[in-house]
Amino acid sequence: MQSTGIVLAVVFLAVLAVMHQRDRRALRAERRKLFDACFALFERHRLTQDAVAWPVLAGTYDGHEVHIAPLVDDVGFRKVPSLWLRVTVKRALPMSGTVDMLARAQNTEFYSPADGLPVRVATPHAWPGQMTIKADRPAAQLPLAVLDPHVKRFFADPRAKEMLVTQHGVRMVYQAHGAGRSEYLVLRRAVFRDARLPATLVRSLLDQAVQVCADVMKGDVHGQA
């Protein structure tokens, strides 16, 4: 009788293990579809994925090296999690400083370097409200005038979260998806069903970042907005 119970327990654990592996394979495959509609945008691309994590895309767009990484933000209390898209265009820019523009800061933006930048820059009056600007040097040494039209355009979208400009290129953070509210409230789990990135969205973010790079390259990097 005891041996029968042991056998049943072993079988039960084996079934659980099989179900767990099946669910992980399904989750990995589902998340890997995130960029399916976007591959044609790139001259070349490489998709990497660790275990069941969201995939990361690296490639070449319009002659620029780019990196696109999804980030799950579920650290906000009583806040439905977001799937942020971190879009980076790598290009050497003629500026020695770093400036970060962050919308609606909650002090939970683990993906942002803002906390590590020592200088708080006053937000130009014509820029969108609820914006925190941090830098590693005074405003007079930053390309605020060059960035002016790009900041106004990007942050006019309520899903826009962050623009970071450094000597190594431009990074933009944008809310790609919100988690299912009911599932999160009941299960406390971030579920992003059928998460896919439209090619039009990815192209728009990349084009904006590329244009920021181009204008910084040719503009007055010390101008004020």
Side-chain angles (χ1 to χ4, degrees):
M1 192 70 182
Q2 185 177 6
S3 61
T4 301
I6 293 174
V7 170
L8 290 175
V10 170
V11 170
F12 178 70
L13 291 174
V15 170
L16 284 180
V18 170
M19 293 175 62
H20 176 67
Q21 290 300 319
R22 180 198 62 193
D23 291 345
R24 282 177 63 85
R25 286 195 297 270
L27 180 60
R28 174 184 170 84
E30 177 64 21
R31 288 181 171 178
R32 196 172 181 83
K33 297 176 183 178
L34 182 69
F35 291 102
D36 278 2
C38 305
F39 296 138
L41 297 175
F42 304 93
E43 287 99 55
R44 62 174 183 82
H45 71 270
R46 180 170 61 91
L47 202 66
T48 58
Q49 186 179 21
D50 294 331
V52 296
W54 291 92
V56 174
L57 187 148
T60 305
Y61 177 84
D62 194 25
H64 297 79
E65 293 298 315
V66 301
H67 186 270
I68 306 177
L71 300 169
V72 176
D73 179 3
D74 56 2
V75 299
F77 182 65
R78 295 184 180 277
K79 177 184 174 184
V80 175
S82 291
L83 183 66
W84 299 106
L85 199 63
R86 185 168 61 185
V87 177
T88 303
V89 171
K90 301 176 182 180
R91 180 169 180 176
L93 299 178
M95 56 181 286
S96 56
T98 293
V99 57
D100 181 79
M101 292 141 287
L102 183 66
R104 304 171 301 281
Q106 302 292 321
N107 296 320
T108 58
E109 289 86 5
F110 60 90
Y111 46 82
S112 172
D115 284 347
L117 296 172
V119 180
R120 177 71 180 264
V121 177
T123 304
H125 72 279
W127 286 16
Q130 295 185 304
M131 178 180 293
T132 301
I133 305 176
K134 299 291 291 292
D136 61 353
R137 59 203 60 220
Q141 300 176 31
L142 300 172
L144 299 185
V146 174
L147 296 177
D148 179 68
H150 304 289
V151 168
K152 290 175 180 176
R153 177 189 175 192
F154 180 58
F155 289 102
D157 188 331
R159 290 178 175 263
K161 183 62 174 175
E162 183 179 38
M163 181 188 295
L164 174 70
V165 183
T166 77
Q167 60 183 323
H168 305 296
V170 173
R171 187 175 81 193
M172 293 177 164
V173 177
Y174 185 90
Q175 186 189 35
H177 290 280
R181 182 176 180 84
S182 59
E183 288 177 292
Y184 180 71
L185 293 177
V186 174
L187 302 176
R188 309 306 294 179
R189 186 178 63 179
V191 177
F192 303 92
R193 295 199 177 280
D194 300 319
R196 305 287 189 275
L197 293 175
T200 52
L201 170 62
V202 173
R203 181 189 293 112
S204 175
L205 293 172
L206 287 168
D207 285 345
Q208 289 182 72
V210 167
Q211 192 59 55
V212 172
C213 289
D215 285 354
V216 171
M217 286 292 296
K218 67 184 180 182
D220 173 11
V221 299
H222 301 307
Q224 292 296 295

